[in-house]
Amino acid sequence: MGKQKGVIVISTFANEQAAHNVSKKLVEAGLAACANLAPVRSIYAWRGRVEDHGECLVLFKTTKSSSKVLKKELAKLHPYDVPEIVEIKMADVAKPYMEWLAGSADGKPKKRNDAAKR
């Protein structure tokens, strides 16, 4: 597997269902090892107004080598006109976790397994 680097790609969605649908596609495509979804409240400037809405924040865990394709697919699948797509480098990642991450976010489609074990 070499010396893979981990990254987190962040995005927000209007609701949990939209976040779930996109997250599942990206994990099944092998572009992300996992996606964490969490409700957040976002206050932001948009088209001359200050907006205040509930959203769903998603943290996509992937490798640097898969992040470019993940971000491209995320942009295609995302329902927003201007989606938030931010990449953050991981530092000091536990070796077993990084090995799992690199093996899971390899760009190879995954088989569905509802009883996943870690």
Side-chain angles (χ1 to χ4, degrees):
M1 247 171 253
K3 190 75 170 152
Q4 283 277 15
K5 300 286 184 188
V7 298
I8 298 171
V9 176
I10 300 171
S11 192
T12 50
F13 294 81
N15 56 59
E16 186 176 354
Q17 189 60 53
H20 173 270
N21 293 343
V22 172
S23 297
K24 189 169 180 182
K25 287 177 183 176
L26 295 175
V27 172
E28 286 178 343
L31 297 174
C34 74
N36 301 118
L37 287 65
V40 296
R41 182 173 176 183
S42 297
I43 301 170
Y44 56 94
W46 182 246
R47 297 185 175 157
R49 296 178 49 177
V50 174
E51 301 287 342
D52 185 343
H53 298 282
E55 291 187 297
C56 187
L57 175 72
V58 182
L59 305 176
F60 296 97
K61 276 63 164 284
T62 191
T63 59
K64 183 63 183 164
S65 60
S66 292
S67 68
K68 185 175 181 178
V69 177
L70 181 142
K71 291 184 290 185
K72 183 178 177 182
E73 287 301 306
L74 177 56
K76 282 198 292 192
L77 296 169
H78 207 291
Y80 283 177
D81 292 338
V82 182
E84 172 185 14
I85 301 175
V86 177
E87 181 177 313
I88 298 174
K89 295 175 186 174
M90 291 182 185
D92 298 322
V93 180
K95 185 177 179 181
Y97 184 84
M98 191 62 234
E99 289 171 350
W100 167 79
L101 182 69
S104 298
D106 56 7
K108 297 176 185 171
K110 305 297 177 234
K111 294 179 184 175
R112 186 176 167 133
N113 182 0
D114 292 329
K117 295 181 182 177
R118 292 193 271 169

